[in-house]
Amino acid sequence: MLPPALDKVATLLSRLPGVGKRSALRWAFHILAEPPAYAEALRTALGELLEHVHFCAQCHHLAETELCGICRDPARDTSLLCVVEGVPDLLALERTGSYRGRYHVLHGSLAPLKGVGPSQLRLDNLESRITQDGVREVIVATSADVEGEATALYLAKRLAATGVSVTRIATGIPMGGELEYLDDHTLSRAIAGRIRLGGP
Amino acid sequence: MLPPALDKVATLLSRLPGVGKRSALRWAFHILAEPPAYAEALRTALGELLEHVHFCAQCHHLAETELCGICRDPARDTSLLCVVEGVPDLLALERTGSYRGRYHVLHGSLAPLKGVGPSQLRLDNLESRITQDGVREVIVATSADVEGEATALYLAKRLAATGVSVTRIATGIPMGGELEYLDDHTLSRAIAGRIRLGGP
């Protein structure tokens, strides 16, 4: 009962992560009800996105040239490599200003049930980067969920042969976190990962 | 810190109803990570939407010609006019198969706080349709929320001069609804709108 062009837009929008068919249809109607300038602007922006934005050939971060700004920055410590699941994670780490090494963006995490295996992640050039750049430590900064943990374990195993030190970012209570309201799992991890403050 | 083209796509997507800046950015990343065919398909579909889909000049329903299929259908009862807020509402009513009159799609509802007044709704030709088509009843089928109710009251007042009968779809307990779990407002309405089953 819907015009095919409307249905097409809704179907494509419903393929975005977390978007249902209902919301997508609502948006297709919204786009139609807006002045045509909106849809035109979206078309232009999508075109520019395809044309101008790529992934860095080395670390797979966003780049408008072959290598991204971080890989081109000579002030970065090339002996440290931080592995993240996605660009937003990289941006979050950059905002802290507390990391001066380089990154490796996987564009996903291992999820066998969703059909995401190691070959779907940007792992091809990881070992060659470690060797060529003389990396001494790989910091695995994947999420603390099942998939992120699985990815971290996989990387530790896979990189064992290279002799590089593989570390995992700490899990524990977040700053401002009240013990009373924390889940058991986080609390167990926080106890297991306790650090010495003093004494023998 | 983000490439301008990526930021542009995210900003445009965040203008869709109910979409936050965070989701929009996530989708912009997703579009970038997908094969380029996806963004190309979306661009094409948006272009076709603009080119082929319009609103009916009479009832403002979707149309691929000047008038929509419902307005062109000679079997429809032209003396009944059902006013709805949007096309999805029209489609929901059509699915019931229990209405054989015509429609008038407002493309919104009165919301003074959001700056939506009568001039933002497709009301220009409502009175002329009533006169020209010899409409005897206008059924106001706007939502039962504050804005839909306000729109219904506004229409009743506005159409008083035309002498047409203005009715409102019933509010009450939905089929399958259990009284115990219904909100007070719906229940009050259901009692106030009770209908006689028998007796004097």
Side-chain angles (χ1 to χ4, degrees), chain B residues 69-81:
Chain B
I70 294 174
C71 283
R72 286 201 317 269
D73 183 353
R76 289 279 177 161
D77 182 352
T78 55
S79 72
L80 274 177
L81 196 63

Side-chain angles (χ1 to χ4, degrees), chain B residues 88-148:
Chain B
D89 306 322
L90 181 155
L91 296 177
L93 286 165
E94 281 297 290
R95 275 196 297 272
T96 68
S98 60
Y99 177 69
R100 297 299 301 164
R102 285 191 182 159
Y103 293 93
H104 193 90
V105 186
L106 298 178
H107 290 278
S109 52
L110 291 181
L113 294 178
K114 291 182 198 155
V116 185
S119 61
Q120 268 83 55
L121 304 180
R122 305 277 182 116
L123 282 166
D124 292 351
N125 64 333
L126 181 59
E127 280 91 346
S128 63
R129 289 190 71 192
I130 291 171
T131 322
Q132 279 163 28
D133 295 350
V135 172
R136 58 180 171 79
E137 182 179 351
V138 172
I139 305 170
V140 184
T142 53
S143 294
D145 53 17
V146 178
E147 294 163 7

Side-chain angles (χ1 to χ4, degrees), chain B residues 47-58:
Chain B
E48 280 171 7
L49 185 66
L50 286 190
E51 197 179 340
H52 297 303
V53 188
H54 309 278
F55 292 120
C56 172
Q58 196 162 287

